[in-house]
Every structure is written in C-alpha cells, then in structure tokens.
Amino acid sequence: MAYKNSWTNSTPADPCTVTIAPDADDFLIGWAITDSTSGGDEDPSGWTRAFRDSSTFDNAVLLVCYKKATGAETSAAFGSVGSNTMIAGVASFSGIDTTTPLDVTPVTFTSSTGDTTTSISITPVTNGCDLVFVQGQDGASSDYSFTFSTTSGTTGAWTTRVDQNSGFMNVAMGSATQTTAGALTAQVVTTTGGRLGILFALRPASAAATATTLSGPTVGMANIPGTYTVGANGAITGTVTVTPSDGGGGGTFSPTSVDISSGSPTATFTYTNPTIGSYTISTTNNGGLSNPSSIVLAVGVNLVSQVLTTGLRYS
C-alpha cells in the first residue's frame, strides 16, 4: 500500500478540471484552493467532501474530497458557485481497504493567523496506515515550499508528493507510512500565512487469504451437536464454499456446506456425532486455499440422557 500517482491543474479556472487516470479500487484524494473567502464549494461529481474552510489572513478556501476509484474516471472538476477561480489536484493510493478506507476520521485545521507551522494530531488504530497531509497556505503571491515531518509519535519519513502554486494560491500534499499504529502529530512548515489543512490515515487492505480456518469443540457428549466456525487467514476474493467431513464417521452436518466471502468472512455449521467415540472433523474448499488442520472430537457418555434413562428404567 502506498502513494501511487498524482495529477494537477495549476492554471486558475472555474471549474478547475484535473485530468486523471486511476485504476479500479485506487483511493483518490482531491483538493482545490481559491484566492478568495468564497468559492471552492462544488465537489467533483461522485466524490465525498472531507473538508472545506476559509482563511481571512489574505483570503483563501481549501476544498478536499475523496472517493474509491472505479477505474473509469478521466477527470475531476472542482467548481465554485460564482466565478472564483482555483487550482486543483488529485492523488491516488493503492492497496487501501476498499470497505473502510478511512482508518479514523480525518483531522482538520483552520487558522487565519499568519504563521509558518501547521500541526495536526491523529491516532490511527490499524498498523501500516498511509498518512496523507493536504495543506493550503493563504499568503503572498510567491511559490512556497512545504516541508512535512512527524513531531511526536513514530512514522516513516515524509515525502512532499505535490507542491502547487499560481499567484496567491499555494497548496501541497505529503505522505508517510506508520508501521505500528499509535498517536502522532504531523507538521508542515512553509512561508508565513493563514493555514488550512487536513490529515488522513488510510487503512491498508488485508493480505489475501492463503488458507481457510476451522475452530470448534474437541470434546462432546453422545448425540449432542457442536458448533464449528470456518473462516480464512486474510481477505477473500469472490465466494469460497467450505465442505465439512468426519471421514465416514457416521455423524451429520448442518448445513452440509457453507460459503464465506469478503462480505461474510466467517460461517458456522453444526456436527452431531452418532455415539461415543472419536471423530475427526475436517474441511475442504473450492477456492484453491489450503485446508486447516483437522479437529479431533472425543465423545463421551451423555450423562443427562443416561440418568433420565436409568431413572425411567427403575421407576
């Protein structure tokens, strides 16, 4: 999982259209900045707004949106209600969890006070998150440089991926990876100005499954069903059918097979043994995954049944 690509349009326009070419399931983060306290209020079609706010230090609006790519996108148009021009950009990230791409809620920052430093704290909960910092600076009509870093907590090195400028419009995006989840503070240092920023923690996709799993009881009583759970050791592609067996031991399974998928990663079945003895419960699958170790079930006397039977016999 990592930063993959970026596309920009640094010619002020309204709308400002960025030509893009993402792959299916890429995670996209897009931004636009104006030289006004209005505008930048129309999201690209099909995108979700993460942040929009303004600075009055020298007037700017930063708009940030995101979406999961279908692979069919060719452009992203950021617009204004009115005629406020802007510059814009889009970055793509691969290997992001397609169900829950945002590990935690993004954290934002707004200040109309002139300063060189913006600090945002966030606490990812999943190991391996990609941290993405989008910073808009509201200041003079010169090309600013942006330096990203971590000031508390532990992450990998930051890289400035995009640095855009046109007149009074300055915006940049940097990213880093956090191997072990935990609280951190990320910082951007640039030329003095009003500051608008947002920090994302993107959750990595689970590794692809290589094997199915099986868990359940190892001891039981005669003729009493036990419940077993099957799953996988990673992300499942498509639907995998898992079929249990007792190797001809004479017991019964209900149901006789179960399906697992990315939407339903676990399933259960019950096994009813025929009598006292030892039974080996195993499973096979049609997904080309390795099968788990078998479970040996030791079945003893059903004492409740025996007491009731004995009681009736001698009553």
Side-chain angles (χ1 to χ4, degrees):
M1 180 213 63
Y3 165 79
K4 186 174 182 181
N5 208 342
S6 60
W7 306 270
T8 61
N9 184 349
S10 295
T11 300
D14 177 27
C16 187
T17 300
V18 183
T19 300
I20 62 176
D23 294 320
D25 292 335
D26 282 356
F27 188 77
L28 306 179
I29 295 177
W31 57 86
I33 191 166
T34 73
D35 181 29
S36 169
T37 54
S38 61
D41 41 21
E42 292 184 342
D43 309 338
S45 178
W47 292 59
T48 299
R49 180 178 297 185
F51 176 67
R52 180 192 178 276
D53 210 345
S54 62
S55 163
T56 58
F57 178 82
D58 191 53
N59 297 342
V61 168
L62 179 66
L63 171 66
V64 181
C65 304
Y66 64 87
K67 74 169 297 187
K68 183 181 78 171
T70 64
E73 296 88 351
T74 58
S75 65
F78 298 82
S80 294
V81 177
S83 58
N84 294 287
T85 62
M86 66 202 80
I87 61 175
V90 174
S92 66
F93 298 81
S94 61
I96 305 301
D97 189 302
T98 56
T99 302
T100 310
L102 302 181
D103 191 57
V104 293
T105 301
V107 182
T108 64
F109 181 95
T110 299
S111 176
S112 294
T113 301
D115 203 337
T116 61
T117 303
T118 301
S119 296
I120 301 180
S121 298
I122 196 169
T123 306
V125 296
T126 304
N127 293 340
C129 282
D130 215 38
L131 307 169
V132 183
F133 201 141
V134 180
Q135 169 78 4
Q137 198 76 356
D138 172 24
S141 59
S142 58
D143 189 359
Y144 293 177
S145 63
F146 294 79
T147 302
F148 296 85
S149 65
T150 298
T151 58
S152 70
T154 303
T155 72
W158 284 82
T159 301
T160 302
R161 307 293 185 180
V162 176
D163 184 348
Q164 286 181 263
N165 162 261
S166 180
F168 287 86
M169 292 175 275
N170 282 278
V171 63
M173 185 277 289
S175 68
T177 300
Q178 185 182 50
T179 302
T180 303
L184 68 104
T185 300
Q187 176 180 273
V188 182
V189 177
T190 186
T191 306
T192 295
R195 290 151 294 138
L196 300 161
I198 182 169
L199 180 59
F200 292 84
L202 305 184
R203 180 176 295 179
S206 299
T210 59
T212 57
T213 60
L214 173 66
S215 61
T218 57
V219 294
M221 294 186 294
N223 305 121
I224 300 298
T227 299
Y228 293 81
T229 301
V230 297
N233 66 350
I236 304 167
T237 300
T239 299
V240 176
T241 299
V242 179
T243 303
S245 171
D246 66 358
T252 57
F253 293 94
S254 180
T256 56
S257 66
V258 294
D259 291 337
I260 55 176
S261 64
S262 59
S264 301
T266 62
T268 60
F269 63 83
T270 61
Y271 174 69
T272 304
N273 63 80
T275 186
I276 299 168
S278 179
Y279 302 90
T280 300
I281 311 300
S282 63
T283 59
T284 57
N285 73 89
N286 70 347
L289 305 176
S290 298
N291 295 312
S293 298
S294 300
I295 293 177
V296 177
L297 173 66
V299 177
V301 175
N302 184 336
L303 296 178
V304 173
S305 176
Q306 186 180 55
V307 167
L308 289 174
T309 302
T310 302
L312 290 171
R313 183 180 299 170
Y314 291 99
S315 59

